[in-house]
Coordinates of all heavy atoms in Angstrom, one line a residue:
M575 N 137.5 140.9 67.6 CA 138.3 142.0 68.3 C 137.8 142.1 69.8 O 138.6 142.4 70.7 CB 138.1 143.3 67.6 CG 139.1 144.3 68.0 SD 140.8 143.7 67.7 CE 141.7 144.7 68.8
R576 N 136.5 142.0 69.9 CA 135.9 142.2 71.3 C 136.4 141.1 72.2 O 136.8 141.4 73.4 CB 134.4 142.2 71.2 CG 133.8 143.5 70.7 CD 132.3 143.4 70.8 NE 131.8 142.7 69.7 CZ 130.5 142.5 69.5 NH1 129.6 142.8 70.4 NH2 130.1 141.8 68.4
L577 N 136.6 139.9 71.7 CA 137.1 138.8 72.5 C 138.5 139.0 72.9 O 139.0 138.8 74.0 CB 136.9 137.5 71.8 CG 137.3 136.2 72.5 CD1 136.6 136.1 73.9 CD2 137.1 135.0 71.7
V578 N 139.3 139.5 72.0 CA 140.7 139.8 72.2 C 140.8 140.9 73.3 O 141.6 140.8 74.3 CB 141.4 140.3 71.0 CG1 142.8 140.9 71.3 CG2 141.6 139.2 70.0
R579 N 140.0 141.9 73.3 CA 140.0 143.0 74.3 C 139.6 142.4 75.6 O 140.1 142.7 76.7 CB 139.0 144.1 73.9 CG 139.0 145.3 74.8 CD 138.1 146.4 74.3 NE 136.7 145.9 74.4 CZ 135.9 146.0 73.4 NH1 136.2 146.5 72.2 NH2 134.7 145.5 73.5
L580 N 138.6 141.6 75.7 CA 138.1 140.9 76.9 C 139.2 140.1 77.5 O 139.5 140.2 78.7 CB 136.9 140.1 76.7 CG 136.3 139.4 77.9 CD1 135.9 140.4 79.0 CD2 135.1 138.5 77.5
L581 N 139.9 139.3 76.7 CA 141.0 138.4 77.2 C 142.1 139.2 77.7 O 142.7 138.9 78.7 CB 141.4 137.4 76.1 CG 140.4 136.3 75.8 CD1 140.9 135.5 74.6 CD2 140.1 135.4 76.9
A582 N 142.4 140.4 77.1 CA 143.5 141.2 77.5 C 143.1 141.8 78.8 O 143.9 141.9 79.8 CB 143.8 142.3 76.5
A583 N 141.9 142.2 79.0 CA 141.5 142.8 80.3 C 141.5 141.7 81.4 O 141.9 142.0 82.5 CB 140.1 143.4 80.2
M584 N 141.1 140.5 81.1 CA 141.0 139.5 82.0 C 142.4 139.1 82.4 O 142.6 138.5 83.5 CB 140.3 138.3 81.5 CG 138.8 138.6 81.3 SD 137.9 139.0 82.8 CE 138.0 137.5 83.7
G585 N 143.4 139.3 81.6 CA 144.8 138.9 81.9 C 145.4 139.7 83.1 O 146.4 139.4 83.7
R586 N 144.7 140.9 83.4 CA 145.2 141.7 84.4 C 144.6 141.4 85.8 O 144.8 142.1 86.8 CB 144.9 143.2 84.1 CG 145.7 143.7 82.8 CD 145.5 145.2 82.6 NE 144.1 145.5 82.3 CZ 143.6 145.7 81.1 NH1 144.3 145.5 80.1 NH2 142.3 146.2 81.0
V587 N 143.7 140.4 85.9 CA 143.1 140.1 87.2 C 143.4 138.6 87.5 O 143.7 137.8 86.7 CB 141.6 140.4 87.1 CG1 141.3 141.8 86.8 CG2 140.9 139.5 86.1
D588 N 143.2 138.4 88.8 CA 143.3 137.0 89.3 C 142.0 136.3 88.9 O 141.0 136.6 89.3 CB 143.4 137.0 90.9 CG 143.6 135.7 91.5 OD1 143.7 134.7 90.7 OD2 143.6 135.6 92.7
R589 N 142.2 135.2 88.2 CA 141.0 134.5 87.6 C 140.7 133.2 88.5 O 139.9 132.4 88.2 CB 141.2 134.1 86.2 CG 141.3 135.2 85.3 CD 141.6 134.7 83.9 NE 143.0 134.2 83.9 CZ 143.8 134.3 83.0 NH1 143.5 134.8 81.8 NH2 145.1 133.8 83.1
T590 N 141.4 133.1 89.6 CA 141.1 132.0 90.5 C 139.9 132.2 91.3 O 139.8 133.2 92.1 CB 142.3 131.7 91.4 OG1 143.5 131.5 90.6 CG2 142.1 130.5 92.2
L591 N 138.8 131.4 91.2 CA 137.6 131.5 92.1 C 137.6 130.4 93.0 O 137.8 129.2 92.6 CB 136.4 131.6 91.2 CG 136.3 132.8 90.2 CD1 135.1 132.6 89.3 CD2 136.3 134.1 91.0
S592 N 137.3 130.6 94.2 CA 137.1 129.6 95.2 C 135.8 128.9 95.0 O 134.8 129.5 94.4 CB 137.1 130.2 96.6 OG 136.0 131.1 96.8
P593 N 135.5 127.8 95.6 CA 134.2 127.1 95.5 C 133.0 128.0 95.9 O 132.0 128.1 95.3 CB 134.3 125.9 96.3 CG 135.8 125.5 96.2 CD 136.5 126.8 96.2
P594 N 133.1 128.8 97.1 CA 132.0 129.7 97.4 C 131.8 130.8 96.4 O 130.7 131.1 96.1 CB 132.5 130.3 98.7 CG 133.4 129.3 99.4 CD 134.1 128.7 98.1
E595 N 132.9 131.3 95.8 CA 132.8 132.3 94.8 C 132.1 131.8 93.6 O 131.2 132.4 92.9 CB 134.1 132.9 94.4 CG 134.7 133.8 95.5 CD 136.1 134.1 95.3 OE1 136.9 133.3 94.7 OE2 136.5 135.3 95.6
L596 N 132.4 130.5 93.2 CA 131.8 129.9 92.0 C 130.3 129.7 92.3 O 129.4 129.9 91.4 CB 132.4 128.6 91.7 CG 133.8 128.8 91.0 CD1 134.5 127.4 90.9 CD2 133.7 129.3 89.6
A597 N 130.0 129.2 93.5 CA 128.6 129.1 93.9 C 127.8 130.3 93.8 O 126.7 130.4 93.4 CB 128.5 128.4 95.3
Q598 N 128.4 131.4 94.3 CA 127.7 132.7 94.3 C 127.5 133.2 92.9 O 126.4 133.7 92.5 CB 128.6 133.8 95.1 CG 127.8 135.1 95.1 CD 128.7 136.2 95.8 OE1 129.9 136.0 96.0 NE2 128.0 137.3 96.1
L599 N 128.5 133.1 92.0 CA 128.3 133.4 90.6 C 127.3 132.6 89.9 O 126.5 133.2 89.2 CB 129.7 133.2 89.9 CG 129.8 133.7 88.4 CD1 129.5 135.2 88.4 CD2 131.2 133.4 87.9
N600 N 127.2 131.3 90.2 CA 126.2 130.5 89.6 C 124.8 130.9 90.1 O 123.8 131.0 89.3 CB 126.4 129.0 90.0 CG 125.4 128.1 89.4 OD1 125.1 128.2 88.2 ND2 124.9 127.2 90.2
D601 N 124.6 131.2 91.4 CA 123.4 131.6 92.0 C 123.0 133.0 91.3 O 121.8 133.1 91.0 CB 123.6 131.7 93.5 CG 122.2 132.1 94.2 OD1 121.3 131.4 94.1 OD2 122.2 133.2 94.8
H602 N 123.9 133.9 91.3 CA 123.6 135.2 90.7 C 123.1 135.1 89.3 O 122.2 135.9 88.9 CB 124.9 136.0 90.7 CG 124.8 137.4 90.1 ND1 124.2 138.4 90.7 CD2 125.2 137.8 88.9 CE1 124.2 139.5 89.9 NE2 124.9 139.1 88.8
A603 N 123.6 134.3 88.5 CA 123.2 134.1 87.1 C 121.8 133.6 87.0 O 121.1 133.8 85.9 CB 124.2 133.3 86.4
K604 N 121.3 132.9 88.0 CA 120.0 132.2 87.9 C 118.9 133.0 88.5 O 117.7 132.6 88.3 CB 120.1 130.8 88.6 CG 121.0 129.9 87.8 CD 121.1 128.6 88.6 CE 121.9 127.6 87.8 NZ 122.1 126.3 88.6
I605 N 119.1 134.0 89.2 CA 118.1 134.8 90.0 C 117.5 135.9 89.0 O 118.2 136.5 88.3 CB 118.7 135.4 91.3 CG1 119.0 134.3 92.2 CG2 117.7 136.4 91.9 CD1 119.7 134.7 93.5
D606 N 116.2 136.0 89.2 CA 115.5 137.2 88.5 C 115.5 138.3 89.5 O 114.9 138.3 90.6 CB 114.0 136.7 88.3 CG 113.3 137.9 87.6 OD1 113.8 139.0 87.4 OD2 112.1 137.7 87.3
W607 N 116.4 139.3 89.2 CA 116.7 140.4 90.1 C 115.7 141.5 90.0 O 115.7 142.5 90.8 CB 118.0 141.0 89.8 CG 119.1 140.0 90.2 CD1 119.8 139.1 89.4 CD2 119.6 139.8 91.5 NE1 120.7 138.4 90.2 CE2 120.6 138.8 91.5 CE3 119.3 140.4 92.8 CZ2 121.3 138.4 92.6 CZ3 120.0 140.0 93.9 CH2 121.0 139.0 93.8
R608 N 114.7 141.5 89.1 CA 113.7 142.6 88.9 C 112.9 143.0 90.1 O 112.8 144.1 90.4 CB 112.8 142.3 87.7 CG 113.6 142.3 86.4 CD 112.7 141.8 85.2 NE 112.4 140.4 85.4 CZ 111.7 139.7 84.6 NH1 111.2 140.3 83.4 NH2 111.5 138.4 84.7
P609 N 112.4 142.0 90.9 CA 111.7 142.4 92.2 C 112.6 143.2 93.1 O 112.2 144.1 93.8 CB 111.2 141.1 92.7 CG 111.1 140.2 91.6 CD 112.3 140.6 90.7
T610 N 113.8 142.7 93.2 CA 114.8 143.4 94.1 C 115.1 144.8 93.6 O 115.1 145.8 94.4 CB 116.1 142.6 94.2 OG1 115.8 141.2 94.6 CG2 117.1 143.3 95.1
I611 N 115.3 145.0 92.4 CA 115.5 146.3 91.8 C 114.4 147.2 92.0 O 114.5 148.3 92.5 CB 115.9 146.2 90.3 CG1 117.2 145.5 90.1 CG2 115.9 147.6 89.7 CD1 117.5 145.1 88.7
R612 N 113.1 146.7 91.8 CA 111.9 147.5 92.0 C 111.8 148.0 93.4 O 111.2 149.1 93.7 CB 110.7 146.8 91.6 CG 110.5 146.6 90.1 CD 109.1 146.0 89.8 NE 109.0 145.7 88.4 CZ 109.3 144.5 87.8 NH1 109.5 143.5 88.6 NH2 109.2 144.3 86.6
S613 N 112.2 147.2 94.4 CA 112.0 147.5 95.8 C 113.1 148.3 96.4 O 113.0 148.7 97.6 CB 111.7 146.2 96.6 OG 113.0 145.4 96.6
S614 N 114.2 148.5 95.7 CA 115.3 149.2 96.2 C 115.0 150.7 96.4 O 114.4 151.4 95.5 CB 116.5 149.1 95.4 OG 117.6 150.0 95.8
D615 N 115.2 151.3 97.6 CA 115.0 152.7 97.9 C 116.4 153.5 97.8 O 116.4 154.6 98.1 CB 114.3 152.9 99.1 CG 115.1 152.4 100.4 OD1 116.1 151.8 100.2 OD2 114.7 152.8 101.5
L616 N 117.5 152.8 97.4 CA 118.8 153.4 97.3 C 119.0 153.8 95.8 O 118.6 153.1 94.9 CB 119.9 152.4 97.7 CG 119.8 151.9 99.2 CD1 120.8 150.8 99.4 CD2 120.0 153.1 100.1
P617 N 119.8 154.9 95.6 CA 120.3 155.2 94.3 C 121.1 154.0 93.7 O 122.0 153.4 94.4 CB 121.1 156.4 94.5 CG 120.7 157.0 95.8 CD 120.3 155.8 96.6
V618 N 120.9 153.6 92.5 CA 121.6 152.5 91.9 C 121.9 152.9 90.5 O 121.2 153.5 89.7 CB 120.8 151.2 91.9 CG1 119.5 151.3 91.3 CG2 121.6 150.1 91.4
L619 N 123.2 152.6 90.1 CA 123.7 152.9 88.7 C 123.9 151.6 88.0 O 124.6 150.7 88.5 CB 125.0 153.6 88.8 CG 125.7 153.9 87.5 CD1 124.8 154.8 86.6 CD2 127.1 154.5 87.7
F620 N 123.4 151.4 86.8 CA 123.6 150.3 86.0 C 124.6 150.7 84.8 O 124.3 151.7 84.1 CB 122.3 149.8 85.4 CG 121.4 149.2 86.5 CD1 120.5 150.1 87.1 CD2 121.5 147.9 86.8 CE1 119.7 149.5 88.1 CE2 120.6 147.4 87.8 CZ 119.7 148.2 88.4
V621 N 125.7 150.0 84.7 CA 126.7 150.4 83.7 C 126.8 149.3 82.7 O 126.8 148.1 83.1 CB 128.1 150.5 84.4 CG1 129.1 150.9 83.3 CG2 128.0 151.6 85.5
A622 N 126.7 149.6 81.4 CA 126.9 148.6 80.3 C 127.9 149.1 79.4 O 128.2 150.3 79.2 CB 125.6 148.5 79.6
G623 N 128.6 148.1 78.8 CA 129.6 148.4 77.7 C 128.8 148.4 76.3 O 127.9 147.6 76.1
S624 N 129.1 149.3 75.5 CA 128.4 149.4 74.2 C 128.6 148.2 73.3 O 127.8 147.9 72.5 CB 128.9 150.7 73.4 OG 130.3 150.6 73.1
D625 N 129.7 147.5 73.6 CA 130.0 146.3 72.8 C 130.0 145.0 73.6 O 130.8 144.1 73.4 CB 131.4 146.5 72.1 CG 131.5 147.7 71.3 OD1 130.5 148.1 70.7 OD2 132.6 148.3 71.2
S626 N 129.1 144.9 74.5 CA 129.0 143.7 75.4 C 128.9 142.4 74.5 O 128.2 142.4 73.6 CB 127.8 143.8 76.3 OG 127.7 142.6 77.1
E627 N 129.7 141.4 75.0 CA 129.7 140.2 74.3 C 128.4 139.3 74.7 O 128.2 138.3 74.1 CB 131.0 139.4 74.7 CG 132.2 140.0 74.3 CD 132.7 141.1 75.2 OE1 132.1 141.3 76.3 OE2 133.6 141.8 74.9
F628 N 127.7 139.7 75.7 CA 126.6 138.9 76.3 C 125.2 139.4 76.1 O 124.3 138.6 75.9 CB 126.9 138.7 77.8 CG 128.2 138.0 78.0 CD1 129.3 138.6 78.6 CD2 128.3 136.6 77.8 CE1 130.5 137.9 78.8 CE2 129.5 135.9 77.9 CZ 130.6 136.6 78.5
W629 N 125.0 140.7 76.1 CA 123.6 141.2 75.8 C 123.7 142.7 75.3 O 124.7 143.3 75.6 CB 122.8 141.1 77.1 CG 123.4 141.6 78.4 CD1 123.6 142.9 78.7 CD2 123.9 140.8 79.4 NE1 124.2 142.9 80.0 CE2 124.4 141.7 80.4 CE3 124.0 139.4 79.6 CZ2 125.0 141.2 81.5 CZ3 124.6 139.0 80.8 CH2 125.0 139.9 81.7
P630 N 122.6 143.2 74.8 CA 122.6 144.5 74.3 C 122.8 145.5 75.5 O 122.3 145.3 76.6 CB 121.2 144.7 73.7 CG 120.8 143.3 73.5 CD 121.4 142.5 74.5
S631 N 123.5 146.7 75.2 CA 123.7 147.6 76.3 C 122.4 148.3 76.8 O 122.4 148.9 77.8 CB 124.7 148.7 75.7 OG 124.2 149.3 74.7
A632 N 121.4 148.1 76.0 CA 120.1 148.7 76.4 C 119.5 148.2 77.7 O 118.7 148.7 78.3 CB 119.1 148.6 75.3
H633 N 120.2 147.0 78.2 CA 119.7 146.4 79.4 C 120.0 147.4 80.6 O 119.2 147.4 81.6 CB 120.4 145.0 79.6 CG 121.7 145.2 80.3 ND1 122.9 145.5 79.6 CD2 122.1 145.1 81.6 CE1 123.9 145.5 80.4 NE2 123.4 145.3 81.7
A634 N 121.0 148.2 80.5 CA 121.3 149.1 81.6 C 120.1 150.1 81.8 O 119.7 150.3 82.9 CB 122.6 149.8 81.4
A635 N 119.6 150.7 80.8 CA 118.5 151.7 80.9 C 117.2 150.9 81.3 O 116.5 151.5 82.1 CB 118.3 152.4 79.5
A636 N 117.0 149.7 80.8 CA 115.8 149.0 81.1 C 115.8 148.6 82.6 O 114.8 148.7 83.3 CB 115.7 147.7 80.3
A637 N 117.0 148.2 83.2 CA 117.1 147.9 84.6 C 116.9 149.2 85.4 O 116.2 149.2 86.4 CB 118.4 147.3 84.9
A638 N 117.5 150.3 85.0 CA 117.4 151.6 85.7 C 116.0 152.0 85.8 O 115.5 152.6 86.7 CB 118.3 152.6 85.1
A639 N 115.2 151.8 84.7 CA 113.8 152.2 84.6 C 113.0 151.5 85.7 O 111.9 152.0 86.1 CB 113.3 152.0 83.3
L640 N 113.4 150.3 86.2 CA 112.7 149.5 87.2 C 112.9 150.1 88.6 O 112.1 150.0 89.4 CB 113.2 148.1 87.2 CG 112.9 147.2 85.9 CD1 113.6 145.9 86.1 CD2 111.4 147.1 85.7
A641 N 114.1 150.8 88.8 CA 114.5 151.2 90.1 C 113.9 152.6 90.4 O 114.1 153.5 89.5 CB 115.9 151.2 90.2
P642 N 113.3 152.9 91.6 CA 112.8 154.2 91.8 C 113.9 155.3 91.8 O 113.6 156.4 91.4 CB 112.3 154.0 93.3 CG 112.0 152.6 93.5 CD 113.1 151.9 92.6
K643 N 115.1 154.9 92.1 CA 116.2 155.9 92.0 C 117.3 155.4 91.1 O 118.5 155.5 91.4 CB 116.8 156.2 93.4 CG 115.8 156.8 94.3 CD 116.4 157.0 95.7 CE 115.4 157.6 96.7 NZ 115.9 157.7 98.0
G644 N 116.9 154.9 89.9 CA 117.9 154.2 89.0 C 118.4 155.1 88.0 O 117.8 156.1 87.6
A645 N 119.6 154.9 87.6 CA 120.3 155.6 86.6 C 121.2 154.6 85.8 O 121.4 153.5 86.2 CB 121.3 156.7 87.2
S646 N 121.5 155.0 84.6 CA 122.3 154.1 83.7 C 123.2 154.9 82.9 O 123.1 156.1 82.6 CB 121.4 153.2 82.8 OG 120.7 154.1 81.9
T647 N 124.3 154.2 82.4 CA 125.2 154.8 81.5 C 125.8 153.6 80.6 O 125.8 152.5 81.1 CB 126.3 155.5 82.2 OG1 127.1 156.3 81.2 CG2 127.3 154.6 83.0
V648 N 126.2 154.0 79.4 CA 126.8 153.1 78.5 C 128.2 153.6 78.2 O 128.3 154.7 77.8 CB 125.9 152.9 77.2 CG1 126.7 152.0 76.3 CG2 124.6 152.3 77.5
V649 N 129.2 152.7 78.4 CA 130.6 153.2 78.2 C 130.9 152.7 76.8 O 130.8 151.5 76.4 CB 131.5 152.5 79.2 CG1 133.0 152.8 78.9 CG2 131.1 152.9 80.6
P650 N 131.3 153.7 75.9 CA 131.7 153.4 74.5 C 132.9 152.5 74.4 O 133.7 152.6 75.3 CB 132.0 154.8 73.9 CG 131.4 155.8 74.9 CD 131.4 155.1 76.2
R651 N 132.9 151.7 73.4 CA 134.1 150.8 73.1 C 134.4 150.0 74.3 O 135.7 149.7 74.4 CB 135.2 151.6 72.6 CG 134.9 152.4 71.3 CD 136.1 153.2 70.8 NE 136.9 153.9 71.8 CZ 136.6 155.1 72.4 NH1 135.5 155.8 72.0 NH2 137.4 155.6 73.2
A652 N 133.4 149.5 75.0 CA 133.7 148.5 76.1 C 132.8 147.4 76.0 O 131.7 147.5 75.5 CB 133.5 149.2 77.5
G653 N 133.2 146.2 76.4 CA 132.4 145.0 76.4 C 131.8 144.7 77.8 O 131.6 145.7 78.6
H654 N 131.6 143.5 78.1 CA 131.0 143.0 79.3 C 131.8 143.4 80.6 O 131.3 143.8 81.6 CB 130.7 141.6 79.3 CG 130.0 141.0 80.5 ND1 128.7 141.3 80.8 CD2 130.5 140.3 81.5 CE1 128.4 140.7 82.0 NE2 129.4 140.1 82.5
A655 N 133.1 143.4 80.4 CA 134.0 143.7 81.5 C 134.4 145.2 81.5 O 135.6 145.6 81.5 CB 135.2 142.8 81.5
T656 N 133.3 146.0 81.5 CA 133.6 147.4 81.3 C 134.6 148.1 82.3 O 135.4 148.8 81.9 CB 132.2 148.2 81.4 OG1 131.4 147.6 80.4 CG2 132.4 149.7 81.1
N657 N 134.5 147.6 83.5 CA 135.3 148.2 84.6 C 136.8 147.8 84.3 O 137.7 148.5 84.8 CB 134.9 147.8 86.0 CG 134.8 146.3 86.1 OD1 134.5 145.5 85.2 ND2 135.3 145.8 87.3
M658 N 137.0 146.7 83.7 CA 138.4 146.3 83.4 C 138.9 146.8 82.0 O 140.1 147.1 81.9 CB 138.5 144.8 83.5 CG 138.3 144.2 84.9 SD 138.6 142.4 84.9 CE 137.1 141.8 84.2
E659 N 138.0 146.9 81.1 CA 138.4 147.3 79.7 C 138.6 148.8 79.6 O 139.4 149.3 78.9 CB 137.3 146.8 78.7 CG 137.2 145.3 78.6 CD 136.1 144.9 77.7 OE1 135.8 145.6 76.8 OE2 135.5 143.8 78.0
R660 N 137.7 149.5 80.3 CA 137.8 151.0 80.2 C 137.7 151.5 81.7 O 136.7 152.2 82.0 CB 136.6 151.5 79.4 CG 136.6 151.0 77.9 CD 137.5 151.9 77.1 NE 137.5 151.5 75.7 CZ 138.4 151.1 75.0 NH1 139.6 150.9 75.6 NH2 138.3 150.7 73.8
P661 N 138.7 151.3 82.5 CA 138.6 151.7 83.9 C 138.4 153.2 84.1 O 137.7 153.6 85.0 CB 139.9 151.1 84.5 CG 140.8 150.8 83.4 CD 140.0 150.6 82.2
H662 N 139.1 154.0 83.3 CA 138.9 155.5 83.5 C 137.5 155.9 83.2 O 136.9 156.6 84.0 CB 139.9 156.2 82.6 CG 139.8 157.7 82.7 ND1 140.2 158.4 83.8 CD2 139.2 158.5 81.8 CE1 139.9 159.7 83.6 NE2 139.3 159.8 82.4
S663 N 137.0 155.4 82.2 CA 135.6 155.8 81.8 C 134.6 155.2 82.8 O 133.7 155.9 83.3 CB 135.2 155.3 80.5 OG 136.0 155.9 79.4
F664 N 134.8 154.0 83.3 CA 133.9 153.4 84.3 C 134.0 154.2 85.6 O 133.0 154.6 86.2 CB 134.4 151.9 84.5 CG 133.6 151.2 85.6 CD1 132.4 150.6 85.3 CD2 134.0 151.2 86.9 CE1 131.6 150.0 86.3 CE2 133.3 150.6 87.9 CZ 132.1 150.0 87.6
N665 N 135.3 154.5 86.1 CA 135.4 155.2 87.3 C 134.8 156.6 87.2 O 134.2 157.1 88.2 CB 136.9 155.3 87.7 CG 137.4 153.9 88.1 OD1 136.7 153.0 88.5 ND2 138.7 153.8 88.0
K666 N 134.9 157.2 86.1 CA 134.4 158.6 85.9 C 132.8 158.6 86.0 O 132.2 159.4 86.7 CB 134.8 159.2 84.6 CG 134.3 160.6 84.3 CD 134.7 161.1 83.0 CE 134.1 162.5 82.8 NZ 134.0 162.8 81.4
A667 N 132.3 157.6 85.4 CA 130.8 157.4 85.5 C 130.3 157.1 86.9 O 129.3 157.7 87.3 CB 130.3 156.2 84.5
V668 N 131.0 156.3 87.6 CA 130.6 156.0 89.0 C 130.8 157.2 89.9 O 129.9 157.6 90.7 CB 131.5 154.8 89.5 CG1 131.2 154.6 91.0 CG2 131.1 153.5 88.8
A669 N 131.9 158.0 89.7 CA 132.2 159.2 90.5 C 131.0 160.2 90.2 O 130.5 160.9 91.1 CB 133.5 159.7 90.1
E670 N 130.7 160.4 88.9 CA 129.6 161.4 88.6 C 128.3 161.0 89.2 O 127.5 161.8 89.7 CB 129.5 161.5 87.0 CG 130.7 162.3 86.4 CD 130.7 162.2 84.9 OE1 129.8 161.6 84.3 OE2 131.6 162.9 84.3
F671 N 128.0 159.7 89.2 CA 126.8 159.2 89.8 C 126.8 159.4 91.3 O 125.8 159.9 91.9 CB 126.6 157.6 89.5 CG 125.5 157.0 90.2 CD1 124.2 157.3 89.9 CD2 125.8 156.2 91.3 CE1 123.2 156.7 90.6 CE2 124.7 155.7 92.0 CZ 123.4 155.9 91.7
L672 N 127.9 159.1 91.9 CA 128.0 159.3 93.4 C 127.9 160.8 93.7 O 127.2 161.2 94.7 CB 129.3 158.8 94.0 CG 129.5 157.3 93.9 CD1 130.9 156.9 94.3 CD2 128.4 156.6 94.8
D673 N 128.4 161.7 92.9 CA 128.2 163.1 93.1 C 126.8 163.6 93.0 O 126.2 164.3 93.8 CB 129.1 164.0 92.1 CG 130.6 163.9 92.5 OD1 131.0 163.5 93.7 OD2 131.4 164.3 91.6
S674 N 126.1 163.0 92.0 CA 124.7 163.4 91.8 C 123.8 162.7 92.8 O 122.7 163.3 93.1 CB 124.3 163.0 90.4 OG 124.1 161.6 90.3
A675 N 124.2 161.6 93.4 CA 123.3 160.9 94.4 C 123.5 161.5 95.8 O 122.7 161.1 96.7 CB 123.6 159.5 94.3
S676 N 124.5 162.3 96.0 CA 124.7 162.7 97.4 C 124.1 164.1 97.7 O 123.6 164.8 96.8 CB 126.1 162.7 97.7 OG 126.9 163.5 96.9

């Protein structure tokens, strides 16, 4: 069911990636971001879907714990593409974070 939900969400977006976008995605997947997160002095929100197809949602809290001004949230009944699968819940979480960070 999670795969069906992800495919349905992906059907609403342009899936065409240019060579530079593919290169950036590949690079992003290979980098250890922990030092960058630790050194950030900006408020940062990590969002995870409770039903991610790729990793446990606990990664959001673990990443937020590395950041001096980190926060996290888990969106229920959402997978890896949380912003596409549950846009209202995602947008609400981001808006609340922005309100609290300002």
Side-chain angles (χ1 to χ4, degrees):
M575 193 62 202
R576 287 185 278 177
L577 183 57
V578 170
R579 186 181 60 234
L580 178 62
L581 291 173
M584 294 299 294
R586 295 187 297 263
V587 298
D588 179 8
R589 293 176 293 214
T590 305
L591 296 176
S592 67
E595 290 169 323
L596 287 170
Q598 180 183 17
L599 185 59
N600 182 47
D601 184 60
H602 174 75
K604 293 178 179 176
I605 292 176
D606 180 355
W607 290 97
R608 292 173 292 183
T610 302
I611 294 168
R612 284 187 190 102
S613 68
S614 174
D615 62 350
L616 299 172
V618 59
L619 175 65
F620 294 89
V621 179
S624 64
D625 302 329
S626 175
E627 298 81 5
F628 298 107
W629 48 74
S631 60
H633 85 279
L640 297 173
K643 297 179 183 177
S646 68
T647 189
V648 176
V649 176
R651 299 181 319 277
H654 182 69
T656 303
N657 59 320
M658 291 183 283
E659 295 175 33
R660 300 280 185 237
H662 177 73
S663 297
F664 177 85
N665 291 340
K666 182 179 179 208
V668 171
E670 289 172 356
F671 172 74
L672 292 173
D673 286 343
S674 71
S676 58

